[in-house]
Amino acid sequence: IITLSDLECDYINARSCCSKLNKWVVPEVIGHAVVTVLMLISLHWFIFLLNLPVATWNIYRYIMVPSGNMGVFDPTEIHNRGQLKSHMKEAMIKLGFHLLCFFMYLYRLVSKNS
């Protein structure tokens, strides 16, 4: 979110912004897929079903990168067609999702040990 807002305010250029963001795309996809599979294996159905759409979206977004682009975040296209706003909106939604998951996991941890 901070990197995208820096780009929006023109504090950094599009190429450095996209290279910073693209280096975290693959670890995010792998990490979220692993967490989703672990929830399936451990039979935590509600959390699995909550994580499945986000993991599917991350995989879809990674697979659908057009050939010739630098990655999910491409410096030549980030200012076109409102992509910067959509990337910012997606980052805010993911932040809310991860905060919700954090508090759900924390509650389950505390309630299990009580």
Side-chain angles (χ1 to χ4, degrees):
I1 293 173
I2 294 170
T3 306
L4 287 171
S5 80
D6 284 349
L7 177 64
E8 190 175 39
C9 294
D10 219 15
Y11 294 137
I12 60 175
N13 63 23
R15 183 161 181 82
S16 64
C17 173
C18 292
S19 68
K20 286 180 185 180
L21 294 172
N22 280 329
K23 83 174 153 182
W24 291 104
V25 171
V26 173
E28 178 188 12
V29 169
I30 292 170
H32 210 101
V34 166
V35 167
T36 305
V37 169
L38 287 175
M39 293 303 158
L40 176 64
I41 292 171
S42 65
L43 302 177
H44 289 94
W45 298 110
F46 177 72
I47 298 173
F48 167 72
L49 292 174
L50 186 68
N51 278 305
L52 187 62
V54 179
T56 305
W57 172 252
N58 285 337
I59 293 169
Y60 171 78
R61 189 174 62 139
Y62 180 71
I63 289 173
M64 296 307 289
V65 172
S67 62
N69 279 12
M70 186 176 169
V72 173
F73 301 95
D74 189 56
T76 59
E77 294 182 0
I78 198 157
H79 289 295
N80 296 339
R81 298 180 305 238
Q83 278 191 0
L84 182 58
K85 292 288 184 194
S86 68
H87 286 309
M88 185 73 90
K89 184 174 149 184
E90 180 182 342
M92 295 298 276
I93 290 170
K94 282 185 180 181
L95 176 66
F97 171 78
H98 290 297
L99 282 172
L100 174 72
C101 287
F102 171 75
F103 287 113
M104 282 181 10
Y105 299 154
L106 187 64
Y107 175 76
R108 289 291 294 169
L109 179 71
V110 171
S111 67
K112 275 262 195 206
N113 292 331
S114 296

